[in-house]
Amino acid sequence: MREIGIPHPRLPLPEPGQRDDPQAFLAWLSDAIPMVEHLGIREMCWEGEQLVWVLSLAPNLNDKGTGFGGGLTAQSTLLGWCWTTLWLREHGLARDVVVAEATQRFLAPVTGDYRMTCTPESAKGPDSLAAQLQSRGRGRISLIQQLWCGDTLCLEAHGNYAVLPVA
């Protein structure tokens, strides 16, 4: 059981240049952030530089029988946090990440199970983040999250994630 004000222990870093095992990371994430087990995340994988979640709609239904905007917003924000955290871990860095700014645009109702993707807003984003971390010990990256229900883009979110300096 998590205690308020007590940080959750970090997951050990993967071998240099390796990515985390997605299932092990999701298990850790569910322990670290208790609401994660209620978000309906069925699968997580990397497709190149894109982090992908496959999700069930059932835990996120609203009163109309479609996707609940607040839950979808939480998912998009967390997906960006995961992208940033996993990118750092792949580069041998165990650092704190926070969302600095987030916006969402709802384009269509979510009417079934869905897929969410997260990619850097700019192809140069990861290199820029690496340079910021090297020169200033902290940095930011802008990411785009998209929610697809079949071939329909239902939500597009933009997030700016800050990597905090080592305390």
Side-chain angles (χ1 to χ4, degrees):
M1 177 93 165
R2 291 293 316 279
E3 291 186 44
I4 296 171
I6 307 296
H8 190 69
R10 292 186 192 269
L11 189 63
L13 288 171
E15 294 295 318
Q18 297 294 309
R19 286 187 164 159
D20 281 280
D21 171 77
Q23 292 314 113
F25 184 80
L26 277 177
W28 172 84
L29 190 62
S30 289
D31 288 340
I33 303 172
M35 73 178 272
V36 167
E37 70 179 314
H38 304 288
L39 294 179
I41 304 167
R42 293 192 330 230
E43 181 182 329
M44 178 177 85
C45 66
W46 284 99
E47 294 177 1
E49 291 303 308
Q50 177 174 260
L51 185 60
V52 178
W53 281 355
V54 176
L55 301 108
S56 298
L57 176 58
N60 295 294
L61 286 173
N62 65 16
D63 59 318
K64 295 163 218 48
T66 61
F68 172 58
L72 303 175
T73 297
Q75 289 170 343
S76 67
T77 301
L78 182 60
L79 180 58
W81 180 91
C82 287
W83 189 99
T84 308
T85 298
L86 289 165
W87 183 89
L88 289 165
R89 292 174 55 73
E90 182 180 344
H91 291 83
L93 301 169
R95 302 286 291 276
D96 287 329
V97 174
V98 296
V99 61
E101 185 177 350
T103 61
Q104 300 79 33
R105 204 174 86 189
F106 296 90
L107 305 168
V110 178
T111 57
D113 293 347
Y114 52 99
R115 178 177 196 262
M116 293 186 89
T117 63
C118 182
T119 56
E121 191 170 70
S122 162
K124 296 179 182 180
D127 290 339
S128 175
L129 177 59
Q132 292 170 50
L133 293 170
Q134 180 69 32
S135 67
R136 299 187 324 218
R138 59 187 167 87
R140 286 187 181 217
I141 187 164
S142 292
L143 302 172
I144 296 174
Q145 300 87 26
Q146 294 182 319
L147 185 156
W148 296 88
C149 191
D151 292 332
T152 303
L153 178 61
C154 298
L155 175 141
E156 186 166 80
H158 295 261
N160 188 288
Y161 294 84
V163 179
L164 303 179
V166 176

